[in-house]
Amino acid sequence: MPLPGAKRWLLVGIALAVIATYLAPQFNRYYLGIVIDVGIAIILATSLNLINGHTGQFSLGHAGFMAVGGYFSAWISLEIGSSAHAQWYFPLSLLAGGLLAAVVGLMVGIPSLRLKGDYLAIVTLGFGEIIRVVAQNTEAVGAASGLKGIPQYTNLGWTFGLAAVTIYVITALVNSTYGRGFIAVHDDEIAAESNGVNTTVTKVTAFVTGAFFAGIAGGLYAHHKRFLSPTGFDWLKSIDIVVMVILGGMGNTVGVILAAILLTLMPEFLRDFAEYRMIIYALLIILLMLLRPNGLFSFKKFKRRGTA
Amino acid sequence: MDFIQQAINGLGLGAIYALIALGYTMVYGVLRFINFAHSDVLMLGAFAAFYLAPRMQQVFGQQSVFGVIMLFIAVALICALIGMTIERFAYRPLRHRPKLAVLITAIGVSLFIEFTCQNPHVFGAATRPFPKLVAETQFHLGNAIIGSTDILVIVVTAVLLGAMWFIVQKTRIGTAMRAVSFNQQAALLMGVPVNKIISFTFGLGSSLAAIAGILYSMKAPGIEPLMGVQPGLRAFVAAVLGGIGNLPGAVLGAVLLGLLETFAGGVPGLSNYRDAIAFGILILILLLKPAGLLGRATIEKV
């Protein structure tokens, strides 16, 4: 599947976001909420795809980054309070959440220099759990009872605008000369190193960038749901995002976006079978791995554009 | 709190973790992947015991030692079968696929078991009281109190660890297990029935998890479909701590973690962070010794 140009993604995304914001008041609030969920899922899945798919560093702690960004930006919004100009600080609080998540991403990226495969997966899982436990015990962010009354600033425009930016930045990064290093590290680390790719910088960059966008997604999520609880960021949430990446096909941007849409909508379609929903979800993971291990949307052997 | 008391509690907990960690580490030894469904086999073991215990008591009489031994054996057999079934249908078809695919499948299997059991038509999500299997007494040792359950846990674990050591080091099937773990292809060429050995490893690990499940329920007598998650996670940390794939390492890691958890629980303010501490230490150890305490680092050859 040839990727459309990265800039086109950005323009299409932002145009859609503007149109959608304009039309939003006519939609049912329930459907609107689901569409925003889809946008947030796209940001999460695309950002994890940079770490897991393109760079091949298996991370199981993406919900942790999301939690850091979500809690921090929500905390800022609550501190600012509800003055007349409060919502103009929203993008700043999102950015702050993203930056703090990026700092945490740096901390998680450093172990990735020494650990590989399963061990790295365990450490990232551990990091995610540590973040959750810390949130659960920190009074400033509501401890176990969670953070309530977050102002509702997230709308279609912000969500899809930022989703478009995320896709643009990550696609442009991976397709740049510098970004070829991600794919080189994914394919063979030792070969990449001996060809002059600085694998250390590449791996840490992947973690920091991925974490930054996960943090932004967390901020959007916080200002969308208006409530944050530590249990919402447990490792099941991380698994959800990982499954999106796997389902879409690791490193296949279009596939990952489609998978994010599909997996966010699926629970809504299965609402009538609520008791069986998660059983079906689990079975889907197993069957998918057995039958289509390269992802649902890889119809031919995935070929990257412009590979020499 | 008394130091000796804490040490005893920690040992009891560590012994249970050791039984679970052995399963993780054995499967990792032969197949090089983390069996996330292991902790759910533990839960299934506890539920099997929950349903079988009244029958056993009808046959062998209330709180008879023989009845309890029969219960342990029956539950171990049931869970060995479950473990072998999981391996046959979920993991074997993926034997030659990337490790990541197997890891995700294992997570899928784990979620499948958990959510199936939470379904109201299966076990339901509510916590149920675990029946008392043996009469409990307490022994006083100075200021420390030792419950008979703790002694039972430690004795059963010690016996099983001895048996495991014997199976792995002294029997033909144990030799085959070590051969498969060392080099699967070469073992196959030497006439080792690799599929049977892997199946046996899963059976053995799952039966240990089942017994750990009963012991865990005897110590904390409330069982529910997600009860395996916490001890499973700790045991898994213990296995990695000791060097995954290394049997003595798993036991060492488990005992260390059990002691640590109990001592951390005794410090005010620290007890809420127990999960974070377990993972924090894990990360620290992996950064200093990437192959775990007793693991040997491998150098990748080009």
Side-chain angles (χ1 to χ4, degrees), chain A residues 17-62:
Chain A
V18 171
I19 297 168
T21 315
Y22 181 68
L23 294 174
Q26 299 173 24
F27 293 138
N28 179 322
R29 283 190 69 81
Y30 171 71
Y31 293 119
L32 208 61
I34 294 171
V35 175
I36 291 178
D37 284 341
V38 168
I40 294 172
I42 290 176
I43 302 181
L44 286 168
T46 321
S47 59
L48 184 65
N49 192 29
L50 176 68
I51 305 174
N52 284 15
H54 293 303
T55 320
Q57 303 295 303
F58 197 60
S59 166
L60 271 179
H62 217 53

mmCIF file of all heavy atoms in Angstrom, chain A residues 17-62:
data_model
loop_
_atom_site.group_PDB
_atom_site.id
_atom_site.type_symbol
_atom_site.label_atom_id
_atom_site.label_comp_id
_atom_site.label_asym_id
_atom_site.label_seq_id
_atom_site.Cartn_x
_atom_site.Cartn_y
_atom_site.Cartn_z
ATOM 1 N N ALA A 17 -10.576 18.347 10.252
ATOM 2 C CA ALA A 17 -10.786 18.777 11.630
ATOM 3 C C ALA A 17 -11.573 20.078 11.662
ATOM 4 O O ALA A 17 -12.508 20.235 12.465
ATOM 5 C CB ALA A 17 -9.443 18.934 12.336
ATOM 6 N N VAL A 18 -11.217 21.013 10.772
ATOM 7 C CA VAL A 18 -11.910 22.302 10.754
ATOM 8 C C VAL A 18 -13.374 22.110 10.355
ATOM 9 O O VAL A 18 -14.291 22.619 11.019
ATOM 10 C CB VAL A 18 -11.188 23.279 9.785
ATOM 11 C CG1 VAL A 18 -12.016 24.534 9.595
ATOM 12 C CG2 VAL A 18 -9.808 23.621 10.324
ATOM 13 N N ILE A 19 -13.592 21.331 9.283
ATOM 14 C CA ILE A 19 -14.964 21.081 8.837
ATOM 15 C C ILE A 19 -15.757 20.409 9.950
ATOM 16 O O ILE A 19 -16.890 20.787 10.257
ATOM 17 C CB ILE A 19 -14.967 20.208 7.571
ATOM 18 C CG1 ILE A 19 -14.276 20.946 6.427
ATOM 19 C CG2 ILE A 19 -16.382 19.819 7.170
ATOM 20 C CD1 ILE A 19 -13.982 20.069 5.228
ATOM 21 N N ALA A 20 -15.124 19.403 10.567
ATOM 22 C CA ALA A 20 -15.813 18.634 11.603
ATOM 23 C C ALA A 20 -16.201 19.530 12.777
ATOM 24 O O ALA A 20 -17.313 19.428 13.314
ATOM 25 C CB ALA A 20 -14.926 17.496 12.077
ATOM 26 N N THR A 21 -15.277 20.437 13.173
ATOM 27 C CA THR A 21 -15.587 21.327 14.294
ATOM 28 C C THR A 21 -16.789 22.202 13.952
ATOM 29 O O THR A 21 -17.659 22.460 14.784
ATOM 30 C CB THR A 21 -14.379 22.234 14.598
ATOM 31 O OG1 THR A 21 -13.215 21.430 14.590
ATOM 32 C CG2 THR A 21 -14.536 22.907 15.937
ATOM 33 N N TYR A 22 -16.822 22.648 12.687
ATOM 34 C CA TYR A 22 -17.911 23.516 12.231
ATOM 35 C C TYR A 22 -19.246 22.775 12.269
ATOM 36 O O TYR A 22 -20.271 23.318 12.673
ATOM 37 C CB TYR A 22 -17.579 23.990 10.811
ATOM 38 C CG TYR A 22 -18.596 24.919 10.229
ATOM 39 C CD1 TYR A 22 -18.776 26.210 10.751
ATOM 40 C CD2 TYR A 22 -19.403 24.507 9.173
ATOM 41 C CE1 TYR A 22 -19.711 27.052 10.229
ATOM 42 C CE2 TYR A 22 -20.351 25.354 8.643
ATOM 43 C CZ TYR A 22 -20.507 26.633 9.164
ATOM 44 O OH TYR A 22 -21.441 27.469 8.651
ATOM 45 N N LEU A 23 -19.209 21.478 11.883
ATOM 46 C CA LEU A 23 -20.449 20.705 11.817
ATOM 47 C C LEU A 23 -20.812 20.048 13.148
ATOM 48 O O LEU A 23 -21.936 19.588 13.325
ATOM 49 C CB LEU A 23 -20.332 19.611 10.752
ATOM 50 C CG LEU A 23 -20.220 20.092 9.304
ATOM 51 C CD1 LEU A 23 -19.964 18.903 8.382
ATOM 52 C CD2 LEU A 23 -21.502 20.795 8.877
ATOM 53 N N ALA A 24 -19.855 20.011 14.065
ATOM 54 C CA ALA A 24 -20.019 19.205 15.280
ATOM 55 C C ALA A 24 -21.332 19.415 16.031
ATOM 56 O O ALA A 24 -21.965 18.437 16.430
ATOM 57 C CB ALA A 24 -18.834 19.431 16.207
ATOM 58 N N PRO A 25 -21.781 20.673 16.209
ATOM 59 C CA PRO A 25 -22.971 20.870 17.028
ATOM 60 C C PRO A 25 -24.203 20.133 16.497
ATOM 61 O O PRO A 25 -25.160 19.908 17.243
ATOM 62 C CB PRO A 25 -23.182 22.395 16.971
ATOM 63 C CG PRO A 25 -21.852 22.941 16.660
ATOM 64 C CD PRO A 25 -21.191 21.942 15.794
ATOM 65 N N GLN A 26 -24.173 19.766 15.203
ATOM 66 C CA GLN A 26 -25.348 19.082 14.647
ATOM 67 C C GLN A 26 -25.362 17.591 14.993
ATOM 68 O O GLN A 26 -26.368 16.922 14.782
ATOM 69 C CB GLN A 26 -25.356 19.241 13.120
ATOM 70 C CG GLN A 26 -25.448 20.698 12.710
ATOM 71 C CD GLN A 26 -25.287 20.849 11.225
ATOM 72 O OE1 GLN A 26 -25.543 19.925 10.463
ATOM 73 N NE2 GLN A 26 -24.873 22.025 10.791
ATOM 74 N N PHE A 27 -24.207 17.075 15.457
ATOM 75 C CA PHE A 27 -24.149 15.639 15.719
ATOM 76 C C PHE A 27 -24.673 15.313 17.111
ATOM 77 O O PHE A 27 -24.689 16.135 18.014
ATOM 78 C CB PHE A 27 -22.711 15.122 15.618
ATOM 79 C CG PHE A 27 -22.149 15.182 14.232
ATOM 80 C CD1 PHE A 27 -20.848 15.603 14.006
ATOM 81 C CD2 PHE A 27 -22.922 14.804 13.143
ATOM 82 C CE1 PHE A 27 -20.338 15.657 12.727
ATOM 83 C CE2 PHE A 27 -22.418 14.842 11.867
ATOM 84 C CZ PHE A 27 -21.120 15.275 11.660
ATOM 85 N N ASN A 28 -25.057 14.064 17.248
ATOM 86 C CA ASN A 28 -25.440 13.509 18.535
ATOM 87 C C ASN A 28 -24.214 13.502 19.456
ATOM 88 O O ASN A 28 -23.124 13.117 19.038
ATOM 89 C CB ASN A 28 -25.929 12.080 18.248
ATOM 90 C CG ASN A 28 -26.336 11.347 19.491
ATOM 91 O OD1 ASN A 28 -25.705 11.485 20.526
ATOM 92 N ND2 ASN A 28 -27.386 10.589 19.376
ATOM 93 N N ARG A 29 -24.357 13.941 20.700
ATOM 94 C CA ARG A 29 -23.206 14.035 21.604
ATOM 95 C C ARG A 29 -22.527 12.686 21.837
ATOM 96 O O ARG A 29 -21.330 12.603 22.000
ATOM 97 C CB ARG A 29 -23.646 14.607 22.961
ATOM 98 C CG ARG A 29 -23.859 16.090 22.937
ATOM 99 C CD ARG A 29 -24.050 16.610 24.349
ATOM 100 N NE ARG A 29 -22.815 16.527 25.121
ATOM 101 C CZ ARG A 29 -21.847 17.422 25.046
ATOM 102 N NH1 ARG A 29 -21.953 18.449 24.244
ATOM 103 N NH2 ARG A 29 -20.768 17.301 25.783
ATOM 104 N N TYR A 30 -23.342 11.628 21.852
ATOM 105 C CA TYR A 30 -22.809 10.289 22.089
ATOM 106 C C TYR A 30 -21.863 9.875 20.968
ATOM 107 O O TYR A 30 -20.745 9.442 21.205
ATOM 108 C CB TYR A 30 -23.978 9.310 22.212
ATOM 109 C CG TYR A 30 -23.585 7.865 22.245
ATOM 110 C CD1 TYR A 30 -22.938 7.332 23.367
ATOM 111 C CD2 TYR A 30 -23.872 7.021 21.177
ATOM 112 C CE1 TYR A 30 -22.590 6.001 23.404
ATOM 113 C CE2 TYR A 30 -23.522 5.694 21.201
ATOM 114 C CZ TYR A 30 -22.874 5.187 22.308
ATOM 115 O OH TYR A 30 -22.527 3.873 22.346
ATOM 116 N N TYR A 31 -22.319 10.097 19.700
ATOM 117 C CA TYR A 31 -21.479 9.738 18.560
ATOM 118 C C TYR A 31 -20.244 10.627 18.515
ATOM 119 O O TYR A 31 -19.146 10.180 18.189
ATOM 120 C CB TYR A 31 -22.262 9.848 17.252
ATOM 121 C CG TYR A 31 -23.347 8.819 17.158
ATOM 122 C CD1 TYR A 31 -24.682 9.176 17.042
ATOM 123 C CD2 TYR A 31 -23.026 7.461 17.213
ATOM 124 C CE1 TYR A 31 -25.676 8.216 16.973
ATOM 125 C CE2 TYR A 31 -24.013 6.498 17.141
ATOM 126 C CZ TYR A 31 -25.341 6.875 17.025
ATOM 127 O OH TYR A 31 -26.309 5.925 16.978
ATOM 128 N N LEU A 32 -20.440 11.886 18.875
ATOM 129 C CA LEU A 32 -19.333 12.827 18.893
ATOM 130 C C LEU A 32 -18.222 12.337 19.836
ATOM 131 O O LEU A 32 -17.041 12.374 19.500
ATOM 132 C CB LEU A 32 -19.851 14.179 19.369
ATOM 133 C CG LEU A 32 -19.132 15.408 18.871
ATOM 134 C CD1 LEU A 32 -19.209 15.481 17.361
ATOM 135 C CD2 LEU A 32 -19.735 16.650 19.495
ATOM 136 N N GLY A 33 -18.667 11.865 20.997
ATOM 137 C CA GLY A 33 -17.716 11.338 21.979
ATOM 138 C C GLY A 33 -16.923 10.170 21.410
ATOM 139 O O GLY A 33 -15.709 10.079 21.587
ATOM 140 N N ILE A 34 -17.620 9.280 20.705
ATOM 141 C CA ILE A 34 -16.947 8.106 20.138
ATOM 142 C C ILE A 34 -15.934 8.534 19.077
ATOM 143 O O ILE A 34 -14.831 8.009 19.004
ATOM 144 C CB ILE A 34 -17.982 7.129 19.549
ATOM 145 C CG1 ILE A 34 -18.831 6.567 20.681
ATOM 146 C CG2 ILE A 34 -17.294 5.997 18.798
ATOM 147 C CD1 ILE A 34 -20.013 5.777 20.212
ATOM 148 N N VAL A 35 -16.327 9.528 18.271
ATOM 149 C CA VAL A 35 -15.408 9.990 17.221
ATOM 150 C C VAL A 35 -14.152 10.595 17.846
ATOM 151 O O VAL A 35 -13.036 10.375 17.359
ATOM 152 C CB VAL A 35 -16.131 11.002 16.292
ATOM 153 C CG1 VAL A 35 -15.148 11.571 15.285
ATOM 154 C CG2 VAL A 35 -17.272 10.328 15.569
ATOM 155 N N ILE A 36 -14.315 11.318 18.954
ATOM 156 C CA ILE A 36 -13.132 11.865 19.636
ATOM 157 C C ILE A 36 -12.266 10.726 20.181
ATOM 158 O O ILE A 36 -11.046 10.756 20.064
ATOM 159 C CB ILE A 36 -13.554 12.854 20.753
ATOM 160 C CG1 ILE A 36 -14.150 14.112 20.102
ATOM 161 C CG2 ILE A 36 -12.366 13.228 21.625
ATOM 162 C CD1 ILE A 36 -14.648 15.140 21.071
ATOM 163 N N ASP A 37 -12.923 9.677 20.733
ATOM 164 C CA ASP A 37 -12.177 8.501 21.189
ATOM 165 C C ASP A 37 -11.333 7.938 20.053
ATOM 166 O O ASP A 37 -10.174 7.549 20.252
ATOM 167 C CB ASP A 37 -13.146 7.401 21.665
ATOM 168 C CG ASP A 37 -13.727 7.714 23.030
ATOM 169 O OD1 ASP A 37 -13.131 8.543 23.733
ATOM 170 O OD2 ASP A 37 -14.770 7.126 23.375
ATOM 171 N N VAL A 38 -11.927 7.874 18.857
ATOM 172 C CA VAL A 38 -11.213 7.338 17.702
ATOM 173 C C VAL A 38 -9.970 8.180 17.417
ATOM 174 O O VAL A 38 -8.871 7.654 17.219
ATOM 175 C CB VAL A 38 -12.136 7.290 16.457
ATOM 176 C CG1 VAL A 38 -11.335 7.018 15.195
ATOM 177 C CG2 VAL A 38 -13.212 6.240 16.635
ATOM 178 N N GLY A 39 -10.140 9.517 17.453
ATOM 179 C CA GLY A 39 -9.005 10.400 17.180
ATOM 180 C C GLY A 39 -7.883 10.197 18.178
ATOM 181 O O GLY A 39 -6.704 10.127 17.808
ATOM 182 N N ILE A 40 -8.245 10.078 19.468
ATOM 183 C CA ILE A 40 -7.225 9.871 20.499
ATOM 184 C C ILE A 40 -6.520 8.535 20.270
ATOM 185 O O ILE A 40 -5.294 8.433 20.369
ATOM 186 C CB ILE A 40 -7.867 9.948 21.904
ATOM 187 C CG1 ILE A 40 -8.373 11.376 22.150
ATOM 188 C CG2 ILE A 40 -6.874 9.545 22.968
ATOM 189 C CD1 ILE A 40 -9.183 11.525 23.421
ATOM 190 N N ALA A 41 -7.309 7.509 19.906
ATOM 191 C CA ALA A 41 -6.721 6.190 19.653
ATOM 192 C C ALA A 41 -5.743 6.250 18.484
ATOM 193 O O ALA A 41 -4.696 5.590 18.507
ATOM 194 C CB ALA A 41 -7.820 5.168 19.371
ATOM 195 N N ILE A 42 -6.076 7.066 17.471
ATOM 196 C CA ILE A 42 -5.174 7.183 16.316
ATOM 197 C C ILE A 42 -3.826 7.770 16.762
ATOM 198 O O ILE A 42 -2.764 7.273 16.389
ATOM 199 C CB ILE A 42 -5.810 8.052 15.205
ATOM 200 C CG1 ILE A 42 -6.976 7.293 14.573
ATOM 201 C CG2 ILE A 42 -4.779 8.429 14.155
ATOM 202 C CD1 ILE A 42 -7.742 8.088 13.538
ATOM 203 N N ILE A 43 -3.882 8.812 17.615
ATOM 204 C CA ILE A 43 -2.627 9.409 18.099
ATOM 205 C C ILE A 43 -1.810 8.369 18.870
ATOM 206 O O ILE A 43 -0.612 8.204 18.651
ATOM 207 C CB ILE A 43 -2.902 10.632 19.001
ATOM 208 C CG1 ILE A 43 -3.713 11.683 18.244
ATOM 209 C CG2 ILE A 43 -1.585 11.235 19.502
ATOM 210 C CD1 ILE A 43 -4.004 12.927 19.048
ATOM 211 N N LEU A 44 -2.491 7.641 19.762
ATOM 212 C CA LEU A 44 -1.792 6.654 20.589
ATOM 213 C C LEU A 44 -1.161 5.567 19.723
ATOM 214 O O LEU A 44 0.005 5.221 19.892
ATOM 215 C CB LEU A 44 -2.764 6.022 21.590
ATOM 216 C CG LEU A 44 -3.180 6.907 22.753
ATOM 217 C CD1 LEU A 44 -4.337 6.284 23.497
ATOM 218 C CD2 LEU A 44 -1.998 7.118 23.694
ATOM 219 N N ALA A 45 -1.950 5.041 18.797
ATOM 220 C CA ALA A 45 -1.459 3.923 17.989
ATOM 221 C C ALA A 45 -0.330 4.370 17.070
ATOM 222 O O ALA A 45 0.673 3.664 16.923
ATOM 223 C CB ALA A 45 -2.603 3.323 17.180
ATOM 224 N N THR A 46 -0.462 5.563 16.468
ATOM 225 C CA THR A 46 0.601 6.035 15.566
ATOM 226 C C THR A 46 1.887 6.256 16.350
ATOM 227 O O THR A 46 2.983 5.947 15.868
ATOM 228 C CB THR A 46 0.200 7.365 14.893
ATOM 229 O OG1 THR A 46 -1.170 7.315 14.570
ATOM 230 C CG2 THR A 46 0.999 7.593 13.645
ATOM 231 N N SER A 47 1.762 6.812 17.563
ATOM 232 C CA SER A 47 2.978 7.095 18.321
ATOM 233 C C SER A 47 3.635 5.806 18.807
ATOM 234 O O SER A 47 4.858 5.703 18.821
ATOM 235 C CB SER A 47 2.684 8.034 19.491
ATOM 236 O OG SER A 47 1.737 7.477 20.353
ATOM 237 N N LEU A 48 2.821 4.803 19.180
ATOM 238 C CA LEU A 48 3.423 3.534 19.593
ATOM 239 C C LEU A 48 4.030 2.830 18.384
ATOM 240 O O LEU A 48 5.035 2.126 18.510
ATOM 241 C CB LEU A 48 2.375 2.631 20.263
ATOM 242 C CG LEU A 48 2.937 1.327 20.822
ATOM 243 C CD1 LEU A 48 3.897 1.595 21.968
ATOM 244 C CD2 LEU A 48 1.848 0.395 21.289
ATOM 245 N N ASN A 49 3.437 3.043 17.223
ATOM 246 C CA ASN A 49 3.951 2.422 16.005
ATOM 247 C C ASN A 49 5.377 2.873 15.718
ATOM 248 O O ASN A 49 6.175 2.113 15.175
ATOM 249 C CB ASN A 49 3.028 2.768 14.836
ATOM 250 C CG ASN A 49 3.320 1.948 13.600
ATOM 251 O OD1 ASN A 49 3.790 0.817 13.711
ATOM 252 N ND2 ASN A 49 3.084 2.508 12.448
ATOM 253 N N LEU A 50 5.712 4.106 16.107
ATOM 254 C CA LEU A 50 7.085 4.573 15.914
ATOM 255 C C LEU A 50 8.046 3.722 16.753
ATOM 256 O O LEU A 50 9.095 3.307 16.269
ATOM 257 C CB LEU A 50 7.211 6.050 16.306
ATOM 258 C CG LEU A 50 8.622 6.619 16.238
ATOM 259 C CD1 LEU A 50 9.089 6.684 14.809
ATOM 260 C CD2 LEU A 50 8.702 7.982 16.884
ATOM 261 N N ILE A 51 7.658 3.449 18.013
ATOM 262 C CA ILE A 51 8.541 2.688 18.908
ATOM 263 C C ILE A 51 8.533 1.202 18.533
ATOM 264 O O ILE A 51 9.567 0.598 18.293
ATOM 265 C CB ILE A 51 8.098 2.868 20.379
ATOM 266 C CG1 ILE A 51 8.033 4.351 20.740
ATOM 267 C CG2 ILE A 51 9.054 2.140 21.305
ATOM 268 C CD1 ILE A 51 7.478 4.618 22.123
ATOM 269 N N ASN A 52 7.329 0.612 18.487
ATOM 270 C CA ASN A 52 7.222 -0.835 18.283
ATOM 271 C C ASN A 52 7.379 -1.235 16.825
ATOM 272 O O ASN A 52 8.043 -2.214 16.514
ATOM 273 C CB ASN A 52 5.863 -1.347 18.770
ATOM 274 C CG ASN A 52 5.781 -1.429 20.268
ATOM 275 O OD1 ASN A 52 6.607 -0.864 20.962
ATOM 276 N ND2 ASN A 52 4.793 -2.123 20.770
ATOM 277 N N GLY A 53 6.717 -0.499 15.946
ATOM 278 C CA GLY A 53 6.673 -0.897 14.551
ATOM 279 C C GLY A 53 7.922 -0.498 13.788
ATOM 280 O O GLY A 53 8.628 -1.348 13.258
ATOM 281 N N HIS A 54 8.204 0.799 13.762
ATOM 282 C CA HIS A 54 9.313 1.263 12.936
ATOM 283 C C HIS A 54 10.656 0.913 13.550
ATOM 284 O O HIS A 54 11.570 0.502 12.867
ATOM 285 C CB HIS A 54 9.224 2.782 12.732
ATOM 286 C CG HIS A 54 8.045 3.198 11.912
ATOM 287 N ND1 HIS A 54 7.830 2.728 10.643
ATOM 288 C CD2 HIS A 54 7.009 4.017 12.173
ATOM 289 C CE1 HIS A 54 6.714 3.245 10.161
ATOM 290 N NE2 HIS A 54 6.190 4.026 11.080
ATOM 291 N N THR A 55 10.794 1.105 14.869
ATOM 292 C CA THR A 55 12.104 0.943 15.492
ATOM 293 C C THR A 55 12.301 -0.457 16.074
ATOM 294 O O THR A 55 13.415 -0.841 16.393
ATOM 295 C CB THR A 55 12.310 2.027 16.580
ATOM 296 O OG1 THR A 55 11.783 3.249 16.086
ATOM 297 C CG2 THR A 55 13.757 2.225 16.917
ATOM 298 N N GLY A 56 11.196 -1.197 16.256
ATOM 299 C CA GLY A 56 11.315 -2.569 16.724
ATOM 300 C C GLY A 56 11.690 -2.707 18.187
ATOM 301 O O GLY A 56 12.212 -3.730 18.606
ATOM 302 N N GLN A 57 11.454 -1.652 18.986
ATOM 303 C CA GLN A 57 11.713 -1.740 20.434
ATOM 304 C C GLN A 57 10.388 -2.028 21.119
ATOM 305 O O GLN A 57 9.541 -1.155 21.195
ATOM 306 C CB GLN A 57 12.286 -0.417 20.953
ATOM 307 C CG GLN A 57 13.544 0.019 20.251
ATOM 308 C CD GLN A 57 14.674 -0.937 20.495
ATOM 309 O OE1 GLN A 57 15.044 -1.189 21.638
ATOM 310 N NE2 GLN A 57 15.206 -1.516 19.436
ATOM 311 N N PHE A 58 10.209 -3.253 21.589
ATOM 312 C CA PHE A 58 8.887 -3.624 22.057
ATOM 313 C C PHE A 58 8.560 -2.965 23.389
ATOM 314 O O PHE A 58 9.191 -3.241 24.394
ATOM 315 C CB PHE A 58 8.753 -5.133 22.161
ATOM 316 C CG PHE A 58 7.339 -5.558 22.233
ATOM 317 C CD1 PHE A 58 6.468 -5.247 21.204
ATOM 318 C CD2 PHE A 58 6.852 -6.244 23.330
ATOM 319 C CE1 PHE A 58 5.141 -5.616 21.264
ATOM 320 C CE2 PHE A 58 5.532 -6.620 23.388
ATOM 321 C CZ PHE A 58 4.678 -6.303 22.354
ATOM 322 N N SER A 59 7.572 -2.071 23.371
ATOM 323 C CA SER A 59 7.180 -1.362 24.586
ATOM 324 C C SER A 59 5.774 -1.773 25.000
ATOM 325 O O SER A 59 4.861 -1.799 24.190
ATOM 326 C CB SER A 59 7.229 0.149 24.345
ATOM 327 O OG SER A 59 6.558 0.813 25.389
ATOM 328 N N LEU A 60 5.619 -2.104 26.283
ATOM 329 C CA LEU A 60 4.310 -2.507 26.807
ATOM 330 C C LEU A 60 3.808 -1.482 27.812
ATOM 331 O O LEU A 60 2.951 -1.786 28.619
ATOM 332 C CB LEU A 60 4.410 -3.866 27.511
ATOM 333 C CG LEU A 60 4.217 -5.131 26.681
ATOM 334 C CD1 LEU A 60 4.389 -6.350 27.564
ATOM 335 C CD2 LEU A 60 2.844 -5.152 26.048
ATOM 336 N N GLY A 61 4.362 -0.259 27.764
ATOM 337 C CA GLY A 61 3.993 0.702 28.816
ATOM 338 C C GLY A 61 3.434 2.001 28.271
ATOM 339 O O GLY A 61 3.562 3.047 28.908
ATOM 340 N N HIS A 62 2.807 1.939 27.095
ATOM 341 C CA HIS A 62 2.382 3.188 26.475
ATOM 342 C C HIS A 62 1.325 3.915 27.299
ATOM 343 O O HIS A 62 1.266 5.141 27.298
ATOM 344 C CB HIS A 62 1.869 2.925 25.064
ATOM 345 C CG HIS A 62 2.234 4.004 24.100
ATOM 346 N ND1 HIS A 62 3.527 4.434 23.928
ATOM 347 C CD2 HIS A 62 1.492 4.754 23.251
ATOM 348 C CE1 HIS A 62 3.554 5.391 23.027
ATOM 349 N NE2 HIS A 62 2.337 5.612 22.605
#
